[in-house]
Amino acid sequence: MRQIRTDTIANIASQKTRSILRNRHFWIITCVTTVLALLYNASYLGITGWFPWAKDIVSAQGVYIFVLSFLFLIPLVHASVVFRLQGTLATWFVFLAAILPRAIQDSPSFESLLRTALVATVALLLGLFVALDYNPGLQESGTAKRTRFARWASLARMLKVQEYERRRVARKLHDNTIQSLLVIANRARALESGDYGRLSPKARKQAEEILIMLLHAIDDVRRLSRELRPSTLDNVGLLPALRWLTERLSHESGIKIDLQVKGREHSLPPEFEVILFRIAQDALNNVVRHSGATAATVTLDFITSNFRMTVEDNGQGFSLPDNIGDFAARGNLGLQRMEQQAGLLDGNFKISSEPGKGTVITVEATP
């Protein structure tokens, strides 16, 4: 059990690292910080020739270099907004490592070090303030809060009934249907092995095929039981449940499915998480069954006041009809169901697709 937990933690950490490295904001922050660090220490490193257009800047002294150091606040604030506390601390340490060598070399006086410490402290406090308190949304009025509360209360009642039925069906499948199928499979195995008398080769072959089909059916029912109501969603929330879903579908289908997170992860209302999980589940099932894709990405965006989730694949794509309801007329109910679920959140649902160019599904709503 400990090994399984360790492997799970390692997989989640690896997935987070890959998500950061694929994030364009990470590379923008890295490039800007690197350029500023080289520009700030050009004279100290002997590379002033790299910046002929900024000769006065790289040779600045005293109060001018003090002003130059404030340019590091640009990537620091950017990192605080996108990666929150982790981005703040990582960028601040890089900032500190960039300004200390030149500050010590130019004038290692108490006044100079105090000025450097002041800049570093202001930068850290600003980054922490942005990371912990940044909210681009406006404060809600009392009427808006009451309206949102009433909407969530109504949604919670409806979802409570739906999820109760899902749990009940999942429990029945696990406790009754799977157990019955296991009994039948055991009898088929006994029949195939000759416990009930010797069989002809043809009959034994049929018994073996029946056993194989029963075992496949048991796996399908067990998978259906988990999909109806994964325990991870109840126990630890949306992100771990989506990690479980993407890893399982990736393993079963061979499609490379990544989960990316932008901004600081935080919990959402339970009803909100349930609906988002259902939309992601339907979208990824469509990717596996119909897209012909080799890779897909689920992205959760916590940066803005409106939460956004996108599911993108590199599959064959399709031509969009004028109305999503046209898919339902052809028997393809998945997209219409996703649109209806997004409507329960009072959110926006968008599909972008072209033949040969993959598909992008976007859901945006205010928690």
Side-chain angles (χ1 to χ4, degrees):
M1 181 66 71
R2 182 176 299 174
Q3 181 63 38
I4 293 174
R5 182 176 298 177
T6 302
D7 293 342
T8 301
I9 294 173
N11 289 336
I12 292 174
S14 175
Q15 194 171 57
K16 283 187 175 182
T17 301
R18 291 197 301 270
S19 174
I20 292 174
L21 292 177
R22 291 191 181 97
N23 192 320
R24 67 179 184 276
H25 294 284
F26 169 79
W27 293 107
I28 292 172
I29 293 166
T30 301
C31 291
V32 172
T33 305
T34 301
V35 170
L36 287 176
L38 293 175
L39 185 65
Y40 190 92
N41 292 286
S43 60
Y44 173 70
L45 297 174
I47 55 172
T48 52
W50 292 13
F51 306 99
W53 45 271
K55 184 179 295 184
D56 294 336
I57 296 176
V58 298
S59 59
Q61 299 288 333
V63 69
Y64 298 103
I65 198 64
F66 176 68
V67 173
L68 178 60
S69 62
F70 272 96
L71 290 176
F72 282 94
L73 294 180
I74 297 173
L76 180 66
V77 172
H78 190 176
S80 300
V81 170
V82 178
F83 299 108
R84 299 299 173 137
L85 189 58
Q86 292 176 335
T88 299
L89 295 177
T91 311
W92 182 76
F93 279 120
V94 173
F95 161 66
L96 202 59
I99 67 172
L100 276 178
R102 180 167 180 175
I104 295 174
Q105 182 199 42
D106 286 352
S107 53
S109 63
F110 175 76
E111 179 183 354
S112 174
L113 294 177
L114 184 61
R115 189 165 57 228
T116 301
L118 175 63
V119 173
T121 302
V122 170
L124 178 60
L125 291 176
L126 177 62
L128 291 175
F129 174 78
V130 172
L132 297 176
D133 295 326
Y134 173 73
N135 184 0
L138 298 176
Q139 294 295 323
E140 291 182 299
S141 66
T143 302
K145 287 183 178 180
R146 287 192 295 271
T147 302
R148 187 164 62 91
F149 179 79
R151 176 168 62 89
W152 280 116
S154 175
L155 181 60
R157 288 192 295 270
M158 182 182 63
L159 285 179
K160 186 176 181 180
V161 174
Q162 290 182 352
E163 294 303 315
Y164 170 78
E165 282 301 308
R166 284 178 175 270
R167 280 194 296 267
R168 187 181 67 82
V169 173
R171 189 166 55 249
K172 288 287 186 182
L173 288 175
H174 182 272
D175 295 344
N176 296 341
T177 307
I178 291 178
Q179 301 308 316
S180 298
L181 289 174
L182 285 172
V183 171
I184 298 172
N186 286 333
R187 292 184 179 180
R189 181 179 287 108
L191 181 65
E192 185 264 338
S193 62
D195 291 354
Y196 297 114
R198 187 173 182 180
L199 299 177
S200 66
K202 185 176 181 180
R204 183 179 295 108
K205 180 67 174 176
Q206 290 294 321
E208 182 180 350
E209 291 178 358
I210 290 172
L211 176 60
I212 292 173
M213 287 188 292
L214 279 168
L215 294 177
H216 284 314
I218 290 170
D219 287 340
D220 290 341
V221 174
R222 185 177 286 118
R223 186 182 304 111
L224 176 60
S225 176
R226 286 197 301 264
E227 289 178 352
L228 280 171
R229 186 67 184 186
S231 59
T232 309
L233 186 60
D234 293 318
N235 297 335
V236 287
L238 177 64
L239 286 176
L242 286 177
R243 288 190 181 103
W244 166 82
L245 178 65
T246 54
E247 289 176 1
R248 182 181 66 79
L249 289 178
S250 184
H251 175 73
E252 292 178 356
S253 66
I255 299 174
K256 188 177 184 298
I257 304 176
D258 289 327
L259 177 64
Q260 298 184 3
V261 178
K262 296 181 179 179
R264 181 180 61 178
E265 301 177 15
H266 58 83
S267 61
L268 300 168
E271 298 79 16
F272 200 93
E273 292 190 341
V274 169
I275 292 178
L276 287 174
F277 179 82
R278 296 299 176 203
I279 294 174
Q281 191 177 41
D282 280 338
L284 290 175
N285 283 333
N286 280 348
V287 171
V288 171
R289 295 170 184 167
H290 308 300
S291 72
T294 59
T297 303
V298 180
T299 304
L300 306 182
D301 190 343
F302 291 91
I303 295 177
T304 63
S305 58
N306 284 352
F307 178 86
R308 183 186 297 114
M309 180 178 73
T310 60
V311 180
E312 181 176 2
D313 68 70
N314 66 349
Q316 59 192 6
F318 55 88
S319 298
L320 290 171
D322 295 333
N323 191 337
I324 293 180
D326 294 343
F327 282 110
R330 304 175 199 167
N332 301 322
L333 302 176
L335 290 174
Q336 187 181 43
R337 183 166 57 244
M338 283 185 269
E339 184 182 43
Q340 291 172 346
Q341 289 170 328
L344 294 176
L345 300 175
D346 197 21
N348 296 320
F349 179 79
K350 181 182 177 182
I351 303 176
S352 301
S353 185
E354 292 182 32
K357 295 186 178 181
T359 302
V360 180
I361 292 175
T362 304
V363 179
E364 185 171 357
T366 302

